[in-house]
Every structure is written in structure tokens, then in C-alpha cells.
Amino acid sequence: MTHQKITLAKGLNMGLRKAMEADDKVLLMGEDVGKLGGVFRITDGLQKDFGEDRVIDSPLAESGIVGTAVGMALRGYRPVIEIQFDGFVYPAYDQIVCQVAKYTYRSQGKVKMPIVIRIPFGGGIGAVEHHSESPEAQFAHTPGLKVVACSNPVDGYWMIQQAIAHDDPVIFLEPKRQYHADKAELDESATPEPLFTSRVVRAGTDATVLAYGPTVKTALKAAEAAETEGRNLEVIDLRTLSPLDMAPVLESVRRTGRCVVTHEAHVNLGMGAELAARITEECFYSLEAPVLRVGAFDMPYPPSRIEEEYLPDLDRVLDAVDRTFAF
Amino acid sequence: MSDPASARSDTFGPDLAEVFGPSQSDGGPDLVQLLTPEGERVHHPEFDHDFSAEELRGLYRDMVLTRRIDVEATALQRHGELGIWAQLLGQEAAQIGAGRALRPQDYVFPTYREHGVAYCKGVDPLRLLGLFRGVDQGGWDPNENNFGLYTIVIGAQTLHATGYAMGMQRDGVVGTGDPERDAAVIAHFGDGASSQGDVNEAFIFAASYNAPVVFFCQNNQWAISEPIERQTRIPLYQRALGFGFPGIRVDGNDVLATYAVTKAALQRAREGNGPSFVEAYTYRMGAHTTTDDPTRYRLNDELEHWKLKDPIERLKVYLRRNGLVDQEFFDDLDAEAKEMGHHLREGCKALPDPKPLDQFGYVFSEMTDEIAAQRDEFAAYLASFEGSHS
Ligand SMILES: Cc1ncc(C[n+]2csc(CCOP(=O)(O)OP(=O)(O)O)c2C)c(N)n1
């Protein structure tokens, strides 16, 4: 069956399976990834088929999980780690930024760290604290780590395989709100886009909206709504946050002259700040308005009853679009 | 193929089957027990306590009301009033035993499941619902009842507990000989948490500074889907010795034993004799939380086995058999539980949603200009919708 309709959760599950079939050095590790199939069921059925030596239920210790993955990678394995929720990556932060990120550099390229750290990220699921965070900037700010974010089922399927096959450590962000949300048609025989590339997901002429992960859907909805007001927005799914694939972005902004960046993470020192700076540096004379950012305020993620007010939604993206046209 | 577990057992002590096999499902020979699952009173040479009839009835009442809190909150979750709930079904004795052993000056550092301990500390059970309903992330003033905020990040609070205990030492409220003054800290956590670096670091600090802290682990056998065997190869309480303080395993379904053992551990800490580790050997009869499905990883037989050890039933049998209760007692308690249920149901629905703009005010002790600007901008944005939707 090469054509089927799948959710993001299914795409990731299938992608993990493919990667494990393709290379027997690929191991999955994490809390509850075995029998339970992960709290989001992304690893469902994999332990049954690949055994406990390859789908490893780890002790409840994130620093331990990442630290042992470093050792496994040194031994020639390709560990794929699941961090249960975004907010629980911090106990492993030291191992990730000080060890995983620096081994290749410290060994002057003699050692590779093909570790994938999968993190369900972002909010909007009505969870309690530490279950809705967007920590991407913390990792994108760390040299030696690559950071990608998928936004749809098909990308989930391909990107996870590509990340696993990649020889550098990859922080792999999965928009948990999207896991079971929409289905898309997967053609397994297609040729996937390369991993570290951005993609125009909606062509437009009047302004460019940059998004990744959970906000891609928001941006697309905003573009639809803007259409009815006679504005034609181009939407780019960044897909890769480090390295950033700027070529499609710059090309687009040079054409449209306006840009809005949206993400769920805090605006202050976030991905939007980096994008705005680079766009300003590269397309200063094409810009009709400053690059605007739509993201979180500089406060901790709020109680879930008001998360809808806090998360960038269609209205806030449109509001920013309006503001770019007001210049 | 070599089996790593058996290869190791020859030279380095017990293999897994020996430690965790069926013979140990009763907690093993070192389990402190004062009341058997059949409701027989037994005695222990080191940890015993002369319970008055009043005390026994009180412990029973506390367990029944705690279960009621849990049942009501679970129902509220099912009705969509709570986003999620961490159930404690089966852990009432562990929590009430520990909670009642505390004095007002003692301080509790809980995880997210200590509803019974919170109740003992005088926290209105309604306050526990806010986090799970999504209207707040704490909901009570930790210093009002000496009951810390719930901690979601596994194990983090054990270090806070140790630091707090070190503060008590410096404040001279440990080992003064004045029982009204001497104080201790208790840190609650689960068996899964024992694997976290933070917890192990807390053990080191506490031992190194002789801090007045009791590490109280409710070993409910499971960390979501992972059984205790995934966290440890030896009975947990034996770990304490390696850190340099005593560890003890108590029957966590026996409220008399958890009370007596925790009381002794707290007393030891208050007197300045340092930390100890209490492993309350118990069982999570419900799901990990209301979003969990234990049938995916747990055998029903196991649950049936533990149902026979129900902490409330065994005390009920004892009270009845010894003529310590009459029908009126049960009727009154029933009425009280109903009242509690009503309070939670009505109160939960009435918990006000937070105001988006107020949230900006809690980021720092004082508003910064930057955040004030973001708040004002957001306020103007929200105001721009007013009237447009009517
Ligand atoms: C640092 C961290 N990692 C993962 C989680 C997700 N999580 C929540 S509860 C839990 C299991 C906890 O098991 P245990 O410590 O035994 O306590 P129990 O819930 O059984 O009382 C996990 C993995 C978390 N909250 N914090």
C-alpha cells in the first residue's frame, strides 16, 4: 500500500518503523515507549516487532536517557530518544547542550553523534504546566545541534527517517496538538524533500508569513481568511530552524516586501528575532514594513483555561498582517 | 545468548526474580506492618504505637474522605470539568499515615498526587482542583499550611525539601529539645522518581548536611507503564544505606504502620539525627492519570491481588471487630463525605477562570516596563474586538 491517508502520529510511527528496518543500529529509547507505545502512542507496536533491545523503556531519568544515548552513539548505534513532553527536556539540558552538541567538535570531527531527540512541543491541548512549552530557541541557539520541526503527516513520515539517517544530532520537534488532528495522503514511493529545507506551502504575492510546527496550520488559515479581504499571503513552512534555510524566505520577502513571523514560543530572543534580523540584513531595500513577530508574551505558559488567548491564533496573525500594510 | 540478569546474579547479589518474584509481592520480610490485610492487629518491636479508639476512627475517617476527594475529582474530569486528574486510589493509607504524623511546623514538599497529605495539612481540597482544571498552577499559598505547590517535573521537589530543611537547621528549629519548636521536612515522590538525578542529589545533600528531611516514597509499583523493575534492581528502601542514612519499608496500605514509621522518621529528623528514607509499599489501583490506560501494560490479576489489600477495608474490619464503631459513626461519615463531594462539585464549577491580563502581573515580583508594554498592547488588541462580535 503506497498511498494512504494518515495522521501525523501515524506518519511518525511509520517513519520510525522504516528507519528501524533500514538500519539495525537504530534504537528507540524513552519513558513508556515500549509496551505503552509512548504516552502519545507514536511508538505503538514497535517494541512488539523489534524487541526490548531496540525499543528501550528507560528509567525515569532524562539526563540518564540522553547521557546513555551519547555512549550508545559512541559505540556505533543511532539512538532515537523520546522526551515525553517538552517541559521535561530540561533535566537533560546539560547532556544535550554540553555533551551531545559538542562531541563532534571536541573530537575534531572524529566522532559522530547521530542522535535524534524527539520532543512533542507546543500548546493547545489543555494540559497542566510543563506540557505545552516551546523550547526551540534554546536548542537553535546551541552550535552543534540541528533543530527541525515537522508540521504535517507526510513531513512527519519523511523527516523522521531523514533525521535518523543524518549523522549529526537533531532536535526533532513534533507539534503535539497536530498528532491526531488532520489526515493527509502519503505516497511512500515519492521522493521526499531534503531535510534541512524550508518550503512554500502556499504561494502568494502580498506578504510572506513564516511559520513552523503548530503555527503552520494557523498561518494557512489566516491566509485563507485574508484572501476574502483581497490579500494574497504567501506561507512558508520553515521546517528547519537550525540551520535556517533562508533562500526561499529571502526570495519570497523580496517579492512581497512584507513579512510576519509566527511561533508559539516567546517573542523575545526567539526564532522570529533571528529571522527578522536576517531578513532585514538581506532584504532591507525590498521591505515595505518592518518584519513583525507574533508569538508568546514574556510570561510563563498560562493555565490552560486561557491558553487560547495566549497562543497566536488566526486573528493575531491577521492583525499583524494588517499592521504591516499600515506602514 | 547470555542473559545479563542471570550472568550478574552469581557474583553480585540477588537476581530480579529473587527480589521481585511472587514471594516478594507482599513487600518482603522487612515490611513493617501493624495491621494485616485481614484486619488483624500485629506488633512490631521497633515501630509501634498505642492507638486510642479516637485516633483509629480519625484515621479511618481521613481515608474515607480522601477517597471521596479522589472519586469526586475523577468524576469531575469525566464530566469535562477537569482537564486531567492524578488519582490516588489505593494510596490513602500511605498519605494519611504520613500526613497525620506531621506537626503544624513541619513542611511538606509534594508531587502532584498528594491529595490526602494536603487534606491533612488543612488545604481546602477544592484548591487542589485548580491546576487540573487549568485555572491556576498552584492555587494555594504554600506558606499558609506549610504545604508546597504540586510539582510536575518529577523529583525536583526533593532538592527543595532538602534545602528547606537546611534552612531550618540554620534557623535553629532542629534538635532544640523543645517538641513544640523542633521541625522537619517531608518530601513525597514516586518509585519512578527515584531514578532522577535530582532525587539522588537530594539524598547526597541531605546526608552530607544531616538535614532534617524525610524522603517519603510511595512505591505504587508503576511509573505510568513502567514497572518498578525498570527503576531499581534492589528493594528501594535499601538504597538509602548507600547514601548514608536509614531506609525502611513500610506497608503503605496499612495506615497504622505508615503513621508509626513516619512519625519516628520525622522525630528523628526533628531531633537533629538527620534524614531517612521511608518506602511506603503500596499500589496504584487506578490509572496513572485519567488519560492513562493501564490495560495496555498491566495484568488484571495484579489489580485483583491488590484489591484484597485495600487500606480502608482492613481498618474497617478492625474497627468493627473490636466494637470501636457503631452505625451512627458510619452514617455521620457518609453525610460528611457527601458534603465534601457537594463542596467539590459546586466549588469546581465556580472556580473563576484567570484573567488574561492579570497573568502579566505574576511574572516578576514587580512589573517590568517591557512586560507592562506587552500587557498594554495585548489589552488594546483585545479591546479592538469589543463590539465587533455582537
Ligand atoms: C522530569 C519528568 N519526566 C517525565 C514526566 C512525565 N511523567 C509524569 S508522571 C510520570 C511517572 C511517575 O512515576 P512515579 O515517580 O513512580 O510516581 P507516580 O505517578 O506513580 O506516583 C512521568 C513519566 C514528568 N512529569 N517529569
Side-chain angles (χ1 to χ4, degrees):
Chain A
M1 190 168 43
T2 57
H3 283 265
Q4 55 177 311
K5 285 216 143 203
I6 55 163
T7 58
L8 174 61
K10 181 72 183 164
L12 290 164
N13 179 269
M14 290 171 64
L16 288 168
R17 177 179 291 277
K18 279 267 174 181
M20 294 186 81
E21 281 164 1
D23 182 350
D24 63 10
K25 293 292 182 194
V26 173
L27 306 173
L28 309 191
M29 299 171 51
E31 294 158 12
D32 303 292
V33 297
K35 251 193 189 143
L36 188 65
V39 290
F40 290 107
R41 311 284 188 260
I42 305 303
T43 56
D44 201 12
L46 297 177
Q47 189 182 63
K48 198 167 124 274
D49 296 341
F50 293 95
E52 292 186 17
D53 271 356
R54 292 192 66 197
V55 181
I56 305 170
D57 268 326
S58 338
L60 211 173
E62 286 76 10
S63 180
I65 295 168
V66 175
T68 53
V70 170
M72 295 252 205
L74 289 168
R75 184 71 198 173
Y77 286 90
R78 304 183 85 86
V80 182
I81 289 159
E82 175 172 301
I83 296 292
Q84 200 155 72
F85 278 91
D86 34 55
F88 310 140
V89 71
Y90 298 109
Y93 191 69
D94 165 55
Q95 284 289 341
I96 297 173
V97 303
C98 301
Q99 305 301 327
V100 173
K102 294 193 167 78
Y103 236 106
T104 299
Y105 191 73
R106 285 163 60 211
S107 68
Q108 298 183 316
K110 292 181 190 71
V111 168
K112 290 175 183 160
M113 275 288 129
I115 297 178
V116 175
I117 302 179
R118 296 180 36 237
I119 308 178
F121 84 125
I125 61 161
V128 296
E129 58 175 349
H130 311 299
H131 290 74
S132 307
E133 319 264 305
S134 300
E136 57 269 27
Q138 328 247 9
F139 299 113
H141 193 65
T142 304
L145 296 178
K146 290 179 176 164
V147 184
V148 302
C150 57
S151 70
N152 64 73
V154 175
D155 268 358
Y157 174 78
W158 293 117
M159 286 171 71
I160 190 65
Q161 294 179 64
Q162 295 165 322
I164 294 169
H166 190 72
D167 277 341
D168 290 321
V170 178
I171 305 289
F172 193 91
L173 301 167
E174 304 170 2
K176 66 171 88 78
R177 175 153 43 125
Q178 237 77 278
Y179 274 146
H180 304 282
D182 305 308
K183 284 194 173 178
E185 175 99 8
L186 171 70
D187 174 4
E188 286 179 77
S189 63
T191 308
E193 315 227 2
L195 180 58
F196 301 108
T197 55
S198 303
R199 183 169 64 218
V200 176
V201 287
R202 186 189 200 279
T205 49
D206 300 344
T208 305
V209 181
L210 305 179
Y212 57 88
T215 55
V216 173
K217 189 172 172 181
T218 316
L220 286 170
K221 277 197 192 153
E224 254 172 59
E227 189 81 66
T228 63
E229 290 168 14
R231 276 187 189 143
N232 188 358
L233 304 186
E234 177 144 309
V235 178
I236 296 181
D237 180 352
L238 291 171
R239 299 171 79 245
T240 172
L241 308 181
S242 180
L244 271 168
D245 177 24
M246 289 306 288
V249 173
L250 299 176
E251 191 281 321
S252 174
V253 177
R254 283 195 187 106
R255 250 187 309 107
T256 64
R258 299 174 206 277
C259 183
V260 171
V261 191
T262 179
H263 51 57
E264 289 190 9
H266 307 285
V267 158
N268 211 355
L269 299 168
M271 289 306 303
E274 180 62 29
L275 286 155
R278 292 218 206 169
I279 292 166
T280 309
E281 281 170 8
E282 302 275 339
C283 334
F284 187 69
Y285 293 106
S286 312
L287 284 171
E288 304 286 341
V291 179
L292 296 183
R293 294 167 291 167
V294 183
F297 311 109
D298 292 309
M299 59 186 198
Y301 199 89
S304 61
R305 284 258 163 174
I306 51 168
E307 69 183 336
E308 293 306 330
E309 318 248 17
Y310 168 92
L311 290 168
D313 62 359
L314 168 126
D315 284 331
R316 278 177 58 205
V317 175
L318 288 175
D319 178 67
V321 168
D322 283 348
R323 280 187 284 130
T324 66
F325 280 98
F327 276 94
Chain B
M1 266 223 38
S2 74
D3 167 12
S6 58
R8 197 176 310 171
S9 63
D10 303 331
T11 25
F12 293 111
D15 75 17
L16 288 177
E18 224 171 275
V19 176
F20 298 106
S23 63
Q24 292 272 325
S25 73
D26 59 357
D30 293 338
L31 187 80
V32 177
Q33 198 174 59
L34 298 180
L35 190 64
T36 69
E38 294 75 34
E40 302 286 351
R41 183 77 164 86
V42 288
H43 294 278
H44 190 276
E46 201 182 336
F47 301 98
D48 218 335
H49 178 84
D50 218 357
F51 292 94
S52 70
E54 199 52 42
E55 274 180 305
L56 292 170
R57 282 192 292 265
L59 292 171
Y60 180 80
R61 170 180 168 272
D62 291 340
M63 287 198 292
V64 168
L65 293 179
T66 297
R67 184 166 290 185
R68 185 61 175 238
I69 295 168
D70 195 51
V71 167
E72 288 294 343
T74 305
L76 282 165
Q77 193 279 336
R78 300 279 181 251
H79 286 119
E81 298 293 338
L82 301 179
I84 190 174
W85 176 248
Q87 300 158 278
L88 59 62
L89 185 69
Q91 299 180 223
E92 295 87 353
Q95 296 203 6
I96 297 304
R100 284 295 171 224
L102 293 162
R103 297 214 183 120
Q105 68 268 30
D106 297 332
Y107 205 105
V108 179
F109 286 85
T111 125
Y112 42 78
R113 206 190 289 282
E114 265 63 68
H115 319 314
V117 186
Y119 156 84
C120 290
K121 267 297 194 184
V123 177
D124 180 346
L126 187 58
R127 299 264 79 82
L128 305 174
L129 302 185
L131 175 76
F132 299 98
R133 185 172 168 83
V135 301
D136 60 48
Q137 280 158 346
W140 57 90
D141 174 355
N143 293 325
E144 198 176 300
N145 301 83
N146 284 2
F147 185 82
L149 296 178
Y150 274 178
T151 315
I152 303 279
V153 179
I154 298 292
Q157 75 281 7
T158 56
L159 281 164
H160 312 161
T162 304
Y164 195 97
M166 290 164 65
M168 283 176 165
Q169 285 174 315
R170 280 151 186 74
D171 290 346
V173 293
V174 180
T176 68
D178 175 358
E180 296 307 312
R181 189 147 181 237
D182 284 347
V185 176
I186 190 165
H188 293 269
F189 56 101
D191 42 296
S194 71
S195 295
Q196 286 285 348
D198 275 4
V199 174
N200 289 272
E201 292 183 26
F203 290 172
I204 306 261
F205 272 72
S208 176
Y209 297 111
N210 210 40
V213 54
V214 174
F215 295 106
F216 190 94
C217 177
Q218 286 165 81
N219 174 2
N220 65 12
Q221 315 298 329
W222 292 93
I224 310 188
S225 75
E226 301 195 350
I228 178 70
E229 294 89 319
R230 182 53 68 225
Q231 318 295 339
T232 181
R233 283 185 60 91
I234 60 163
L236 272 185
Y237 72 98
Q238 291 180 5
R239 279 218 191 138
L241 196 60
F243 287 95
F245 48 87
I248 185 143
R249 175 178 275 183
V250 60
D251 183 342
N253 285 24
D254 170 356
V255 71
L256 307 190
T258 44
Y259 175 84
V261 166
T262 314
K263 191 166 173 261
L266 286 164
Q267 194 51 29
R268 178 189 145 84
R270 291 188 202 108
E271 284 169 2
N273 296 316
S276 51
F277 179 86
V278 176
E279 177 191 358
Y281 198 76
T282 180
Y283 192 73
R284 186 193 85 207
M285 291 210 278
H288 169 70
T289 65
T290 46
T291 58
D292 177 41
D293 172 12
T295 62
R296 288 180 72 102
Y297 53 79
R298 185 169 88 176
L299 293 175
N300 200 44
D301 279 2
E302 187 184 282
L303 175 61
E304 292 305 319
H305 170 78
W306 278 90
K307 274 187 188 163
L308 301 173
K309 300 177 183 230
D310 189 299
I312 297 185
E313 286 309 311
R314 72 171 76 173
L315 185 54
K316 188 177 193 175
V317 168
Y318 179 78
L319 289 172
R320 276 227 169 101
R321 197 179 286 148
N322 292 280
L324 300 173
V325 285
D326 53 18
Q327 193 50 44
E328 196 187 334
F329 169 79
F330 290 112
D331 292 345
D332 288 351
L333 183 52
D334 204 34
E336 201 178 347
K338 278 202 180 109
E339 180 60 37
M340 167 91 81
H342 183 75
H343 171 60
L344 287 174
R345 283 193 302 277
E346 296 311 307
C348 178
K349 290 171 203 164
L351 285 175
D353 281 355
K355 298 216 173 37
L357 294 177
D358 288 349
Q359 300 296 313
F360 290 93
Y362 309 131
V363 182
F364 295 111
S365 53
E366 279 181 34
M367 182 65 93
T368 64
D369 291 347
E370 208 174 14
I371 292 178
Q374 291 183 16
R375 179 199 56 198
D376 296 345
E377 210 180 299
F378 189 44
Y381 168 75
L382 291 178
S384 74
F385 288 99
E386 257 151 46
S388 66
H389 287 309
S390 50

